[in-house]
Amino acid sequence: MLKTGRTCVSGGASQPGLDWRQAGEEAAALRCAPVPREMAPGAPTLLLLLLLSLSSVLPCAASCPAACRCYSATVECGALQLHVIPPGIPPGTQTLFLQDNCIAHLEPGVLTPLASLRHLYLHNNSLHALEPGAFRAQSRLLELALTSNGLRGLRVGAFAGLAQLRVLYLAGNQLVQLLDFTFLHLQRLQELHLQENSIELLEDQALAGLSSLALLDLSRNQLGTISREALQPLASLQVLRLTENPWRCDCALHWLGAWIKEGGQRLLSSRDRKIMCAEPPRLALQSLLDVSGSSLICIPPSVHVEPLEVTANLGEDLRVACQASGYPQPLVTWRKVAQPREGPPPAPAQPEGGVPVPGGSGASDTGSGMLFLTNITLAHAGKYECEASNAGGAARVPFQLLVNLSRQQQLAPAPPPAAGPISHEPLPEAGSMAFRALGLAMQTVIAAAIALLALTALLLATMICRRRRRRKKVPGPPGEGALFVNDYSEGPYTFAQLEELRDERGHEMFVIDRSKPLFAESPAETTESTEPGPAQGLPLQPPAAYEIHC
């Protein structure tokens, strides 16, 4: 039952209901009314015992949240512009009305104290998502209303703990797809209302676990097709509503028409049997039951990739288009073919946008048909495959990616062999795109090492320059730096006996050569000295030489 004002809604139809506010006021008046003075003997004691016994089940208004109404085991907090579930709700509450508020999030554990809940009405709020385990403590809950909340998706485990749930209202939200095993924990669910959403995809195992389901309402969605496997878990199904969907009447729906004609009519009312085709155009506005099976056809896909081989440089980005045609529109999937060799795992293909697609070598791009690889490395090289599939079949086209190494990496010497597995991927250079692909910590370490090496080289160059400057002599006046020796231990000498020399460091020195005469001789005197005669001038000393270094 969905309560709105003074009416109750069940199964999408409105009917007059009980005025819960009036009943609550009467119950509160009866419980909290003053005791009359004229009573039979012993009556006060009996009345006191009665009130004490009912206090745990029928809480007075004093224990009610502010602005809410409490009566019997019901708490009504609807249309109060609440943003959170109010505190102070009695733990024994069995029916809780929170409709027509602004609740956008169910805080973890906020419903844990309310383990006795049987009916919870949260329709017409602002819930956009349900956290897994949000209702884990409500093991006794029978009815849950989440209609018109703007829910965009349902995570696996969102309804975990609702083992006794019988009715679930999810109509009027923004659900686009139902993933596998979404309702796995609702084995006793009997009614599932999913009408007035935007559901386009119902995966094959989305309804797994609903073996007790009797009513399934998928009307007024965006379903184009539905598989036989999706309805197989519904062994107890009695009512199925599929109307007002843009059905694509092709070979994928051939089974549905045959199933309805054979025995599925008992599940469909006369109105629900009008499953109208929206496409192809030649079958538009025709009922599926009126279309012959031979008219429900599919066109197998064809795939085109140009070019079939590309050579890319390290660090570049690459986009490869895969054009597919067929009817219905094929689903395009890019795969990287696994290589039969040891090494790093293949890099996952990425769709347009640069976000890695989960699934590794089986990654897929379900829309654009564009393979998008960013910051190409050697791990991206290899064979890829573009696959297009629809209900009519599948087609594949191979694509080869080659990675071109830079010249510096080609001329670089091979690294010494190391223990363990050898990686064939080149080390990234600081100025390359591969360097930017490294983590922040590794980039910092490499930059610090390069800066340290540069600083060390600068210090060495400075020391070498200073040492050379010290050794270099500044030119001065003539005779500066020359050593004149006055050593008369073996007799006087003159400048004629000095010989100027320079060592390998450029230092000047004079060598005394005693074999030379004290005074320079003219050529005439030299010839005359060869004739015998008395010695002229000072007597000559025996030849001797002294070397003095400066």
Side-chain angles (χ1 to χ4, degrees):
M1 291 296 237
L2 290 181
K3 180 178 181 303
T4 305
R6 299 194 177 201
T7 59
C8 296
V9 181
S10 178
S14 299
Q15 59 185 7
L18 177 64
D19 189 342
W20 292 107
R21 294 182 183 271
Q22 182 179 357
E25 293 174 357
E26 294 175 357
L30 288 176
R31 294 197 332 264
C32 303
V35 180
R37 294 184 178 179
E38 296 180 0
M39 285 187 173
T45 304
L46 295 176
L47 183 57
L48 179 61
L49 293 176
L50 180 61
L51 292 176
L52 290 176
S53 63
L54 294 177
S55 61
S56 59
V57 180
L58 305 174
C60 289
S63 60
C64 219
C68 296
R69 290 177 177 268
C70 300
Y71 42 88
S72 183
T74 300
V75 176
E76 183 178 348
C77 299
L80 296 178
Q81 297 184 355
L82 299 175
H83 293 271
V84 295
I85 295 179
I89 299 176
T93 301
Q94 297 183 8
T95 302
L96 178 58
F97 289 96
L98 290 167
Q99 78 281 357
D100 303 317
N101 282 293
C102 305
I103 300 174
H105 182 65
L106 295 180
E107 300 294 336
V110 68
L111 296 175
T112 301
L114 306 178
S116 301
L117 275 180
R118 299 290 193 275
H119 307 274
L120 177 57
Y121 301 103
L122 283 164
H123 51 285
N124 296 329
N125 275 280
S126 302
L127 293 171
H128 296 298
L130 297 176
E131 298 296 331
F135 306 102
R136 192 176 300 277
Q138 280 62 56
S139 59
R140 301 180 183 180
L141 194 65
L142 301 176
E143 186 178 14
L144 176 60
L146 296 168
T147 307
S148 302
N149 266 280
L151 292 172
R152 299 188 179 95
L154 298 175
R155 301 181 184 179
V156 176
F159 303 107
L162 301 177
Q164 303 295 328
L165 192 66
R166 299 295 196 273
V167 183
L168 177 59
Y169 296 96
L170 289 168
N173 285 286
Q174 301 175 15
L175 301 176
V176 176
Q177 59 182 357
L178 296 179
L179 304 179
D180 289 337
F181 310 112
T182 299
F183 307 102
L184 185 63
H185 302 88
L186 306 179
Q187 298 181 1
R188 297 192 178 184
L189 190 68
Q190 297 177 359
E191 296 184 18
L192 178 56
H193 298 266
L194 290 164
Q195 67 272 20
E196 299 180 7
N197 279 280
S198 302
I199 300 174
E200 300 175 354
L201 174 64
L202 185 68
E203 294 191 351
D204 292 346
Q205 299 299 321
L207 304 176
L210 299 179
S211 57
S212 302
L213 193 67
L215 185 150
L216 175 61
D217 194 345
L218 286 167
S219 61
R220 286 169 282 175
N221 277 282
Q222 296 298 319
L223 286 171
T225 188
I226 188 171
S227 66
R228 183 192 298 268
E229 291 75 16
L231 299 181
Q232 278 184 350
L234 310 181
S236 304
L237 192 63
Q238 299 178 12
V239 179
L240 177 62
R241 296 171 183 167
L242 298 173
T243 56
E244 300 184 48
N245 279 285
W247 294 107
R248 185 179 60 247
C249 295
D250 54 20
C251 62
L253 275 188
H254 185 278
W255 77 271
L256 182 60
W259 173 75
I260 293 175
K261 293 176 182 179
E262 293 173 1
Q265 293 187 18
R266 63 180 181 83
L267 305 181
L268 304 174
S269 65
S270 58
R271 182 176 63 89
D272 294 334
R273 293 176 189 173
K274 297 180 180 179
I275 301 177
M276 307 303 293
C277 299
E279 54 177 290
R282 61 186 179 84
L283 299 178
L285 301 181
Q286 296 188 33
S287 174
L288 178 63
L289 300 180
D290 297 336
V291 178
S292 62
S294 59
S295 298
L296 301 175
I297 61 175
C298 295
I299 301 176
S302 61
V303 188
H304 178 71
V305 176
E306 183 67 31
L308 295 177
E309 182 176 314
V310 171
T311 301
N313 297 322
L314 286 174
E316 290 183 347
D317 296 341
L318 177 66
R319 292 187 182 186
V320 182
C322 180
Q323 300 177 357
S325 60
Y327 185 82
Q329 181 64 35
L331 177 71
V332 179
T333 304
W334 276 101
R335 305 177 188 274
K336 190 173 192 299
V337 181
Q339 301 293 332
R341 61 179 180 84
E342 296 182 358
Q350 298 180 9
E352 186 170 0
V355 181
V357 180
S361 59
S364 64
D365 173 15
T366 60
S368 65
M370 183 76 70
L371 175 66
F372 186 23
L373 301 176
T374 60
N375 192 19
I376 291 179
T377 64
L378 286 180
H380 290 98
K383 184 178 180 181
Y384 291 78
E385 195 174 68
C386 177
E387 178 182 2
S389 60
N390 62 8
R396 301 176 182 86
V397 170
F399 168 76
Q400 186 75 25
L401 174 61
L402 305 176
V403 177
N404 183 28
L405 298 177
S406 65
R407 183 178 179 183
Q408 292 181 354
Q409 290 170 335
Q410 290 178 350
L411 299 178
I422 300 177
S423 174
H424 299 279
E425 186 172 351
L427 294 176
E429 300 177 3
S432 66
M433 294 290 292
F435 174 77
R436 294 198 294 269
L438 298 175
L440 181 60
M442 183 60 67
Q443 292 182 8
T444 305
V445 171
I446 294 177
I450 294 176
L452 184 60
L453 291 176
L455 181 60
T456 304
L458 181 62
L459 292 176
L460 289 176
T462 304
M463 293 175 61
I464 292 174
C465 292
R466 292 182 62 183
R467 185 168 292 185
R468 287 184 176 179
R469 289 178 180 177
R470 290 178 180 177
R471 292 178 179 176
K472 187 176 180 180
K473 303 193 72 174
V474 180
E480 183 177 356
L483 175 64
F484 299 92
V485 180
N486 294 321
D487 185 3
Y488 302 101
S489 57
E490 295 187 6
Y493 65 91
T494 63
F495 284 100
Q497 293 179 305
L498 292 180
E499 183 178 354
E500 182 179 359
L501 297 177
R502 288 181 179 269
D503 61 3
E504 66 276 2
R505 296 183 179 180
H507 296 167
E508 295 180 355
M509 62 181 177
F510 290 86
V511 178
I512 302 175
D513 188 357
R514 294 292 184 178
S515 62
K516 292 183 179 182
L518 292 176
F519 303 98
E521 299 179 351
S522 63
E525 293 176 347
T526 303
T527 55
E528 293 177 356
S529 61
T530 56
E531 299 177 0
Q536 298 179 1
L538 298 175
L540 298 176
Q541 300 292 334
Y546 294 90
E547 183 176 344
I548 302 173
H549 294 277
C550 177

